[in-house]
Amino acid sequence: MGDQAKLSVGGAENDYAVLKGSVGPDVIDIRKLYAQTGKFTFDPGFTSTASCESALTYIDGDEGVLLHRGYPIGQLAENSSFMETSYLLLNGELPSKDELTSFENTITRHTMLHEQLATFYRGFRRDAHPMAIMCGVVGALSAFYHDSTDISDPEHRKISSHRLIAKMPTIAAMAYKYSVGQPFVYPDNKLSYTGNFLRMTFGVPAEEYEVIPAVEKAMDRIFILHADHEQNASTSTVRLAGSSGANPFACIAAGIACLWGPAHGGANEAALNMLKEIGTPDRIQHYIDRAKDKNDPFRLMGFGHRVYKNYDPRATVMQSTVREVFDALKVNDPLFETALRLEEIALSDPYFAEKKLFPNVDFYSGIILSAIGFPTTMFTVLFALARTVGWVAQWNEMISDPGQKIGRPRQLYTGPTQRDYVPLDKR
Ligand code: ACO
């Protein structure tokens, strides 16, 4: 018998199995707790709760480690491509050369959207936030691809996953094109996944668009850095939505909705807006003081993380990518200097040290994306594009589990106890 945990409630003692993962904290299996004690556990925000078993991604937040299927994010960002990392996340192993070529071909062949979907865009205001468009259009895919939505069939799940990964750049680029009033650009299957996305976003029919290799590489790396991040809020949303057997496209739309929030994917937009507001290094201290003030709701955006209590390993890669993009585009945004200085000042301040607040992936990504030419409203869209692979891989993992159950949290009820209805004229 493995390790056991004892819980004593009202004098009665029960044993609970301690389950071991391949690495990381053990978990106490409390599935029988309610049946045995009539009690629930209480953990709002899931700070101590493992919501599922997963073999995809591992994070050690104290050490600043992020592994996809065992491979460190730094090695993947340095040596892999987004397509290869996607294959790895979906299939568990790095592909052979043939497997990678075949995967890339499959994704490439699914990049076009049903033509009627273009009319959906025209229903939005031109100034609609592109994340609002993403929620709507990705959800609308549910109405178009009926041939692959039998979620009990692994082949159907695979086709839906490929469609989602393949169509997301087209959908995202169209959201951008719509907002700037330019014609939609169709995919060009000669280009790489990322090159194609850049062309669909920044190309115009009147001119030949040339993909700049350094920008393509930086963008691909940003996609790798955002590909998956274990059971974060949007991934848990996708799992919860999917646990009821919902349509996969609708589940990903739910993930996009969750990602939009400023505490999650919206933070890179918020971080860049904050850097612009700070402006010059001489104003940094004022904002640091505000972030430390309990009576001021202001927080340093791009700082802090629920899991990382050390430098986010993705932020390290992001910081070096800023310089590569600046060199390739021959730009030099003074906000980068402000960001570096802000990081330096914050990291030497006891408030941030004590609370273990370090830059996260979003701190530098806005500077790079802005240099490439994306407006801030597109930042979270790019995150959604990349995270789609994580979402579908996690969704697939969940649905493939024969013991999978609908997600149904319980609660600590603190509302009124039963009382009788009072007619309107008696109130
Ligand atoms: N600036 C100033 N203080 C902060 C910050 C910050 N960015 N983040 C946390 N703190 C403080 C809190 O005030 C709190 O202080 P207290 O204990 O004295 O009350 C303490 O640190 C812990 O903060 P919580 O909000 O309880 O930590 P939690 O794990 O719930 O939040 C979160 C994590 C939401 C990311 C938070 O750090 C934050 O709001 N950061 C800014 C937004 C951001 O960058 N989000 C991106 C996350 S990464 C991603 O989604 C890809």
Side-chain angles (χ1 to χ4, degrees):
M1 199 165 68
D3 289 352
Q4 299 281 309
K6 272 196 197 313
L7 182 68
S8 164
V9 183
E13 216 169 62
N14 288 296
D15 287 330
Y16 298 95
V18 176
L19 309 179
K20 289 193 182 304
S22 45
V23 58
D26 298 341
V27 301
I28 302 168
D29 181 353
I30 51 137
R31 279 175 287 187
K32 294 199 183 83
L33 180 79
Y34 179 63
Q36 287 173 338
T37 66
K39 308 264 189 281
F40 298 136
T41 53
F42 184 58
D43 184 18
F46 300 101
T47 51
S48 297
T49 297
S51 63
C52 64
E53 186 180 325
S54 180
L56 276 150
T57 293
Y58 173 72
I59 301 174
D60 182 335
D62 295 324
E63 295 298 323
V65 170
L66 167 60
L67 310 176
H68 290 322
R69 302 284 193 182
Y71 296 102
I73 191 66
Q75 289 184 22
L76 292 172
E78 189 61 33
N79 307 305
S80 185
S81 66
F82 180 63
M83 278 296 92
E84 188 182 62
T85 301
S86 299
Y87 183 98
L88 172 70
L89 282 166
L90 292 170
N91 299 290
E93 295 297 335
L94 287 168
S96 67
K97 217 167 170 222
D98 287 351
E99 284 166 338
L100 180 58
T101 307
S102 153
F103 180 69
E104 285 172 338
N105 285 341
T106 305
I107 297 298
T108 303
R109 279 206 306 274
H110 281 101
T111 47
M112 281 194 45
L113 278 188
H114 191 292
E115 191 60 22
Q116 208 171 320
L117 270 162
T119 57
F120 276 71
Y121 288 81
R122 301 203 165 92
F124 286 97
R125 285 168 54 132
R126 290 274 174 189
D127 62 356
H129 195 291
M131 282 299 273
I133 299 181
M134 294 297 287
C135 290
V137 175
V138 173
L141 295 178
S142 331
F144 284 81
Y145 300 103
H146 300 295
D147 59 340
S148 59
T149 50
D150 175 3
I151 62 159
S152 61
D153 182 337
E155 196 52 31
H156 278 214
R157 292 203 299 274
K158 192 159 122 185
I159 297 169
S160 299
S161 303
H162 289 168
R163 278 190 170 134
L164 273 156
I165 296 166
K167 293 184 197 310
M168 208 54 92
T170 317
I171 295 171
M174 285 168 75
Y176 172 71
K177 285 298 191 200
Y178 186 72
S179 72
V180 290
Q182 290 180 359
F184 297 142
V185 176
Y186 287 107
D188 176 349
N189 289 353
K190 289 193 299 299
L191 297 173
S192 71
Y193 182 87
T194 302
N196 203 1
F197 170 64
L198 288 169
R199 181 180 160 276
M200 287 190 287
T201 306
F202 297 118
V204 285
E207 280 173 29
E208 195 65 35
Y209 178 79
E210 249 184 68
V211 178
I212 302 169
V215 173
E216 183 182 17
K217 189 159 177 270
M219 197 71 236
D220 201 71
R221 187 180 286 164
I222 291 171
F223 289 160
I224 295 174
L225 295 181
H226 288 90
D228 192 43
H229 213 227
E230 54 118 301
Q231 308 312 320
N232 56 84
S234 57
T235 301
S236 299
T237 302
V238 170
R239 279 187 178 257
L240 194 56
S243 75
S244 70
N247 177 292
F249 300 103
C251 296
I252 300 305
I256 293 173
C258 177
L259 185 73
W260 192 1
H264 192 7
N268 53 13
E269 185 176 341
L272 191 72
N273 288 338
M274 176 194 74
L275 288 172
K276 282 184 187 155
E277 192 185 319
I278 296 175
T280 47
D282 57 301
R283 286 162 48 84
I284 291 173
Q285 194 55 51
H286 170 65
Y287 286 87
I288 298 264
D289 294 342
R290 282 189 62 193
K292 287 157 56 176
D293 182 354
K294 279 267 150 277
N295 300 316
D296 188 332
F298 176 78
R299 283 187 168 198
L300 280 192
M301 300 313 286
F303 254 77
H305 197 275
R306 170 59 64 77
V307 179
Y308 292 117
K309 302 302 168 198
N310 200 327
Y311 214 96
D312 179 342
R314 302 167 301 170
T316 320
V317 183
M318 278 293 181
Q319 201 202 68
S320 60
T321 307
V322 177
R323 292 191 200 282
E324 283 171 31
V325 170
F326 279 14
D327 288 349
L329 296 175
K330 299 187 180 44
V331 294
N332 192 11
D333 185 346
L335 286 188
F336 184 41
E337 288 315 312
T338 307
L340 287 171
R341 189 78 192 108
L342 175 61
E343 178 187 331
E344 201 183 323
I345 296 176
L347 293 185
S348 61
D349 190 304
Y351 173 92
F352 294 90
E354 276 158 24
K355 295 190 189 302
K356 300 192 171 138
L357 298 168
F358 293 86
N360 60 48
V361 66
D362 291 324
F363 190 62
Y364 288 106
S365 62
I367 296 174
I368 306 175
L369 298 175
S370 167
I372 294 176
F374 291 103
T376 45
T377 51
M378 278 297 286
F379 293 178
T380 320
V381 173
L382 303 173
F383 192 158
L385 187 168
R387 183 56 56 85
T388 296
V389 64
W391 289 332
V392 295
Q394 300 263 357
W395 169 79
N396 243 308
E397 184 181 61
M398 177 187 70
I399 305 281
S400 320
D401 177 354
Q404 185 254 325
K405 280 183 171 7
I406 186 169
R408 177 53 171 97
R410 305 308 294 255
Q411 64 172 6
L412 172 66
Y413 177 70
T414 53
T417 52
Q418 184 170 328
R419 49 186 170 164
D420 289 327
Y421 178 79
V422 182
L424 193 54
D425 59 352
K426 300 258 165 47
R427 278 178 249 156

